[in-house]
Amino acid sequence: MADPITQPFSRRRFAHLFGAGLAGAALAPLAPGTPEAGASPLLRLVRAAAADAGGVVRLSSNENPHGPSPAALEAMRQAFGLAWRYPDEHMDALAGALAKLHGVDRGQILLGNGSSEILRLAALAFAAPGRPVVAADPTFEAILHHAEADGAGALKVPLASGYRHDLPKMLAAAPDPGLLYVCNPNNPTGTVTPKDELQAFLGQVPAKTMVLVDEAYHHYAESADYASVIPLLGAHPNLVVARTFSKVYGMAGLRCGYAVANAEAIERLQKRASFDNVNIMALAAAQASLGDTAHVERGRRENREVKAMVYAGLEKLGLHPIPSDTNFFMVDLGRDVGPLIAAMKERRVEVGRRFAAMPNCMRVTVGTRAQMQSFLGAFREVVA
């Protein structure tokens, strides 16, 4: 049976749950020893809503199906009464906590409405006509869209062997690039660009060219070749790092991300940012999430174990997924995946879109164990 935990939880759905009595069941005391006995009433209500939300298994957007931590949900509940206030001091508090976490000054943190806003600000601040954004192909394309819409232009460089960024070719792609974008681990391939290659690359980039390293999937990376570049900020004033609460923290719908960079780069980004650009619910949930390291570790472990289960199922079909350091993976099916994606959707399983640079590869988010069993069942039917 499909696990629909990623279905929307609307006010109308909430009312329906109350009418059906599910909310009352979710809020009622549970016997000790039952799986949900230790969960807060709000967390149990959210899970009850997800379990009743209807049939589609959504594995298309690299969302975390386990959602925010119980601490984050409780922080959001407590923040309801603050909805009338602007979020200024809460933004300061979260930025301060992030600065402490990363060992940088408060002036080296900029919050964003998701890390997607950080990417947009970087395109606006650092690229210009004649100074394009250079990125891998394929990679996360949001920053390329922003650069093209703003008239700066964007250049795509095919991935190297092993599905890594071809850093030398990226550096040589334009005579005067404004911004070099490196998604590490990379979306959609899930692969890591080795830390030694990335560090050497940063040493070769001209000082007037900015480098944005997108570490959205940082927490899932377990390869010995991977390392965050945040510790390298002191040596590279032209480096910006983007992070998000959307992935391992399960807050994709709340929209909270941030940049870590040197103060001058942060100032250039800040000038283009909206005032009060992160809502107070997201701020409360993000700060609570930072303190719940156990939730992060559970998410990492569950992602690893479920991904291994799916890999084993695919390998029985003679398919070998690209090794992934993220909460998604790609698998080469040897034929155009467009019709296969459509056939999966007919079976109420949504997977990632077709990527023009890798048309034979299907990207699949790692969902819950039940979701991935549904995926494998539908997938076997489709490839047959």
Side-chain angles (χ1 to χ4, degrees):
M1 181 177 180
D3 179 354
I5 196 165
T6 56
Q7 292 296 300
F9 181 41
S10 65
R11 286 178 294 177
R12 180 177 298 175
R13 193 65 184 148
F14 184 89
H16 171 76
L17 286 170
F18 270 102
L22 282 175
L27 294 170
L30 296 179
T34 57
E36 293 293 317
S40 71
L42 179 60
L43 180 59
R44 283 158 47 200
L45 179 58
V46 170
R47 289 176 177 170
D52 183 59
V56 175
V57 177
R58 184 164 130 177
L59 307 173
S60 55
S61 299
N62 304 342
E63 296 156 327
N64 179 348
H66 306 292
S69 79
L73 290 170
E74 177 61 20
M76 290 169 62
R77 187 189 67 80
Q78 294 183 13
F80 289 166
L82 298 173
W84 59 278
R85 297 180 62 181
Y86 287 108
D88 302 80
E89 62 259 45
H90 297 275
M91 293 182 74
D92 288 340
L94 179 59
L98 291 168
K100 183 177 180 180
L101 174 68
H102 294 301
V104 300
D105 295 335
R106 166 64 184 85
Q108 292 182 255
I109 300 289
L110 177 66
L111 301 182
N113 185 26
S115 60
S116 296
E117 184 182 19
I118 300 300
L119 272 56
R120 182 182 66 84
L121 296 175
L124 292 173
F126 306 132
R131 304 198 70 215
V133 171
V134 178
D137 189 22
T139 195
F140 185 54
E141 294 178 337
I143 196 167
L144 303 177
H145 292 309
H146 293 309
E148 290 173 344
D150 196 44
L155 298 176
K156 298 179 181 180
V157 176
L159 294 171
S161 62
Y163 305 100
R164 303 193 308 267
H165 285 67
D166 195 328
L167 299 175
K169 288 186 178 178
M170 288 177 63
L171 189 56
D176 186 23
L179 179 67
L180 302 172
Y181 173 71
V182 179
C183 187
N184 194 37
N186 188 42
N187 177 13
T189 57
T191 48
V192 162
T193 295
K195 57 189 176 184
D196 293 342
E197 292 183 19
L198 194 49
Q199 185 168 357
F201 168 75
L202 290 171
Q204 297 166 358
V205 175
K208 64 178 180 177
T209 295
M210 300 298 294
V211 179
L212 174 58
V213 179
D214 186 345
E215 295 184 349
Y217 300 95
H218 160 80
H219 295 91
Y220 291 112
E222 298 183 338
S223 169
D225 278 336
Y226 174 80
S228 170
V229 294
I230 289 177
L232 305 180
L233 285 169
H236 301 287
N238 59 339
L239 174 62
V240 178
V241 182
R243 289 280 186 94
T244 185
F245 284 89
S246 293
K247 303 306 175 184
V248 80
Y249 293 112
M251 289 173 44
L254 285 168
R255 313 310 301 136
C256 187
Y258 61 99
V260 192
N262 290 286
E264 182 181 352
I266 290 294
E267 184 177 355
R268 291 173 67 182
L269 294 170
Q270 179 84 64
K271 288 178 180 178
R272 293 157 176 86
S274 301
F275 294 142
D276 300 322
N277 57 343
V278 184
N279 72 79
I280 204 161
M281 299 296 176
L283 293 166
Q287 186 141 12
S289 295
L290 292 178
D292 195 349
T293 56
H295 182 74
V296 171
E297 289 308 313
R298 281 194 300 273
R300 284 162 49 90
R301 183 184 68 250
E302 289 169 355
N303 180 72
R304 182 191 317 118
E305 292 173 353
V306 173
K307 186 163 56 177
M309 177 201 78
V310 180
Y311 277 25
L314 292 173
E315 286 166 359
K316 288 180 180 178
L317 300 174
L319 298 170
H320 304 285
I322 298 170
S324 167
D325 273 86
T326 63
N327 66 332
F328 60 88
F329 61 87
M330 274 193 130
V331 57
D332 190 340
L333 303 183
R335 51 179 157 154
D336 193 295
V337 296
L340 302 178
I341 291 169
M344 292 289 286
K345 190 171 184 178
E346 290 175 359
R347 289 160 176 79
R348 302 182 68 76
V349 178
E350 296 181 359
V351 296
R353 63 180 176 82
R354 177 185 182 276
F355 291 85
M358 299 177 70
N360 293 346
C361 291
M362 179 181 287
R363 189 191 69 183
V364 183
T365 302
V366 178
T368 64
R369 188 173 294 271
Q371 286 178 322
M372 301 317 291
Q373 288 169 344
S374 296
F375 161 77
L376 286 171
F379 185 80
R380 291 187 192 101
E381 293 179 10
V382 166
V383 297

